[in-house]
Amino acid sequence: MELQNIVENFKLNGKVKNIEAYGNGHINTTFLIECDYNGGTLRYILQKINTNVFPNVEGLMNNIQSVTTFLRNKIVENNGDPDRETLNLVPTIDGNSYYTCKDGSYRVYKFIEDTVALQIAESNEVFEGAGFAFGNFVKMLNDFDASGLFEVIKNFHNTADRFKKFINAVDKDAVKRAESVREEIDFVLKRSNICDNIISLIESKTIPLRVTHNDTKLNNVLIGSESGKPICVIDLDTIMPGSLLYDFGDAIRSGCNTGLEDEPDLSKVGFDISLFESFTKGFMAGVGNCITAVERDLLSLGAIMMTFECGMRFLTDYLEGDVYFKIHYPEHNLVRCHTQFKMVADMESMRDKMDEIVRKYSKV
Ligand code: ADP
Ligand code: GN1
Ligand code: MG
C-alpha cells in the first residue's frame, strides 16, 4: 500500500504534500510527513514498526500510550510543555494508537520542531544536558506503575542471556563468518565471566528493578537546535522494567565515543573521559536522590557492560547474517562491533578515573 494511503488513516491536520525517509534509527523505518496547514507547513513522524523486533504491536503501543500519558501529566505538574517534552501519538481515524494493513503496522507522532538528534556529542554542555534528560526520565518514572507494562523484548539487557545467544551464533556459524572474526570472538570469551554481573545483582535485589528506557542512545534525545538544551526523550519502544545502570551505561556507550558508532577508522574512536564527566554531572542532577548508593557505585560497570553487550550484539548479528540491525553494507555490523570493543578496552583502562568522577557528582 502507498504511504499516502496509509497516512489517510490518521487524524492529521491539513493536506499531505510530501512523505520522505527520515532519521538514523537501526530498528524502525521512519518517515517525515509534511502537510499544508493554514498557509504553513505542519510536520509529523510516521513510523513503520519493525515487527521482526516487536511482534506484539498491541503490547508495545499500549506501553507507549500509557507511559506518554503518565509523562504528560508529570510535565504539566512541573509547568513544562507537554507538546514538546514528551512524544505525542496522533490517533487513527478509528481512535487507535496505530494502524495495521497488509504491509505492516504504522504509528504517527507529532513532529517536535526546532530540535536535532545528534549522532555525536557536539559539546560537553550538550552532553551534560542529555545526561540531565535521561536521569530525569528515570526520576519521572519512579512512581509509574510497572505492573501493566508489557515486556516487549524478553531479556533485552540480560547480558548473560546475550552471551548464550552469541555462543549459539558462533557454534551455528550460519553464514560462515566465524573463522574471519576469531579475534573478536576471543575478545568476548575473555570477558565471559562479567556477563552475569548486573543481572545477578537485580535477581538478588542488590539493585532495584525500575521502569527504564533501555535505549538511551544520544540520538534518542531531541536537543533544541538554538538552545542546545535537551527537549524530549524519544524512541520509547523499549520501555520496560530494567536497571538504571542500563540507561546510564547505554548513554555513555553512545555519547562518549570520539567517533561515530560505525566509524571504520578506529584511530578516530575512543572513550572521551571529559564527556563522561559532563554526562555524569547532568545525570546525577537529573536523577537526584532517586539513585541508591549501590547503583551509584556501579555506574562505571554499567557503562562497560552496556558497551560490551552492544558490541557482542553487533558481532552476533554479523555471525547470523545481519538479520536484526539495519545495515548499509555487508561489513557494517562488524565495523560497529569494532568501535564498541575499542571503547570497552579504553573504559577498562580508565575505570578508576570514572569511579572518581561518579563520586565527585554523587548526591547520595
Ligand atoms: P528507531 O527506533 O529506529 O531508532 P526513533 O524513534 O529513534 O527510531 O526515530 C528515528 C529518528 O527520527 C530519531 O533519531 C529522530 O531523528 C527522529 N524522530 C523520531 N521521533 C521524532 C519526533 N516526534 N519529532 C522529531 N523527530 C523525531
Ligand atoms: C538500536 O532503535 P535504535 O537505533 O535507537 C537498538 C539498541 C542498540 C542500538 C545500537 C530495540 O537502537 O538496543 O543499542 O541500536 N534497539 C533495539 O545503535 O534493539
Ligand atoms: Mg532511535
Side-chain angles (χ1 to χ4, degrees):
M1 198 191 268
E2 293 283 320
L3 288 175
Q4 186 75 31
N5 300 113
I6 287 165
V7 300
E8 275 169 13
N9 292 282
F10 288 89
K11 283 188 186 155
L12 304 181
N13 284 320
K15 184 177 177 326
V16 177
K17 60 174 173 185
N18 189 37
I19 307 176
E20 62 190 34
Y22 193 78
N24 281 297
H26 292 350
I27 303 294
N28 297 306
T29 309
T30 302
F31 303 91
L32 174 70
I33 309 173
E34 291 179 301
C35 296
D36 276 324
Y37 183 65
N38 273 353
T41 300
L42 192 58
R43 307 203 287 175
Y44 297 93
I45 285 285
L46 167 72
Q47 284 183 323
K48 180 175 184 188
I49 299 165
N50 183 331
T51 44
N52 178 32
V53 172
F54 304 112
N56 185 337
V57 179
E58 176 83 19
L60 168 82
M61 292 308 295
N62 285 344
N63 281 0
I64 295 182
Q65 183 80 268
S66 59
V67 169
T68 52
T69 305
F70 180 89
L71 289 174
R72 227 186 137 76
N73 292 333
K74 282 265 163 189
I75 293 163
V76 171
E77 267 170 38
N78 299 335
N79 297 316
D81 179 351
D83 290 330
R84 285 178 69 70
E85 294 171 30
T86 186
L87 284 172
N88 282 275
L89 282 164
V90 175
T92 64
I93 304 287
D94 301 335
N96 293 323
S97 58
Y98 64 97
Y99 173 75
T100 297
C101 59
K102 65 175 180 12
D103 288 352
S105 291
Y106 294 80
R107 68 182 167 215
V108 170
Y109 290 118
K110 288 187 185 163
F111 190 90
I112 302 172
E113 295 289 350
D114 307 316
T115 60
V116 284
L118 299 174
Q119 306 311 317
I120 204 154
E122 282 175 351
S123 71
N124 285 69
E125 290 70 31
V126 162
F127 200 43
E128 183 183 328
F132 185 90
F134 285 129
N136 187 242
F137 191 81
V138 171
K139 187 167 98 180
M140 283 202 288
L141 291 176
N142 201 33
D143 51 351
F144 177 83
D145 175 14
S147 61
L149 272 188
F150 168 69
E151 195 178 358
V152 270
I153 304 177
K154 287 224 176 314
N155 292 320
F156 189 56
H157 283 311
N158 179 340
T159 315
D161 186 69
R162 294 277 182 195
F163 178 73
K164 274 192 209 144
K165 290 182 173 135
F166 163 77
I167 293 295
N168 282 341
V170 175
D171 289 346
K172 203 164 170 204
D173 198 11
V175 288
K176 301 280 165 271
R177 284 173 166 173
E179 206 39 54
S180 65
V181 292
R182 268 293 136 211
E183 237 178 84
E184 293 82 352
I185 293 173
D186 285 345
F187 186 95
V188 176
L189 294 180
K190 271 196 197 120
R191 290 160 181 80
S192 58
N193 60 325
I194 65 166
C195 289
D196 70 351
N197 273 1
I198 297 183
I199 197 73
S200 58
L201 292 166
I202 296 175
E203 280 164 5
S204 65
K205 298 197 167 36
T206 312
I207 52 174
L209 192 64
R210 302 171 176 278
V211 177
T212 47
H213 183 284
N214 298 306
D215 187 4
T216 50
K217 195 151 104 168
L218 179 59
N219 70 7
N220 285 333
V221 54
L222 298 178
I223 312 279
S225 350
E226 289 292 311
S227 66
K229 300 260 181 261
I231 306 292
C232 183
V233 170
I234 61 166
D235 203 345
L236 305 178
D237 292 323
T238 50
I239 288 195
M240 279 179 286
S243 164
L244 176 151
L245 303 183
Y246 301 157
D247 281 5
F248 180 85
D250 196 56
I252 296 302
R253 170 194 81 73
S254 64
C256 291
N257 188 347
T258 51
L260 287 169
E261 184 179 84
D262 59 355
E263 172 57 62
D265 177 358
L266 283 183
S267 70
K268 295 186 182 149
V269 173
F271 175 66
D272 184 328
I273 190 106
S274 88
L275 285 172
F276 178 80
E277 175 153 5
S278 300
F279 187 89
T280 303
K281 186 177 175 196
F283 189 87
M284 289 301 196
V287 80
N289 58 12
C290 267
I291 188 172
T292 68
V294 181
E295 285 173 316
R296 174 203 62 202
D297 292 342
L298 291 164
L299 287 177
S300 49
L301 172 78
I304 295 173
M305 292 288 291
M306 286 301 98
T307 313
F308 172 66
E309 180 190 277
C310 191
M312 181 165 68
R313 289 174 64 196
F314 287 142
L315 185 56
T316 304
D317 201 31
Y318 184 69
L319 289 164
E320 289 179 339
D322 310 306
V323 292
Y324 186 89
F325 295 105
K326 279 193 207 148
I327 55 159
H328 301 301
Y329 54 91
E331 306 294 298
H332 208 162
N333 272 317
L334 184 60
V335 167
R336 290 170 176 151
C337 158
H338 288 159
T339 62
Q340 302 309 292
F341 287 176
K342 171 114 191 258
M343 291 279 289
V344 170
D346 274 9
M347 281 191 252
E348 285 172 343
S349 69
M350 287 189 234
R351 179 84 185 265
D352 291 347
K353 275 198 197 135
M354 291 164 76
D355 283 335
E356 225 175 85
I357 291 169
V358 167
R359 290 215 160 253
K360 180 169 157 193
Y361 294 102
S362 168
K363 296 190 188 310
V364 290

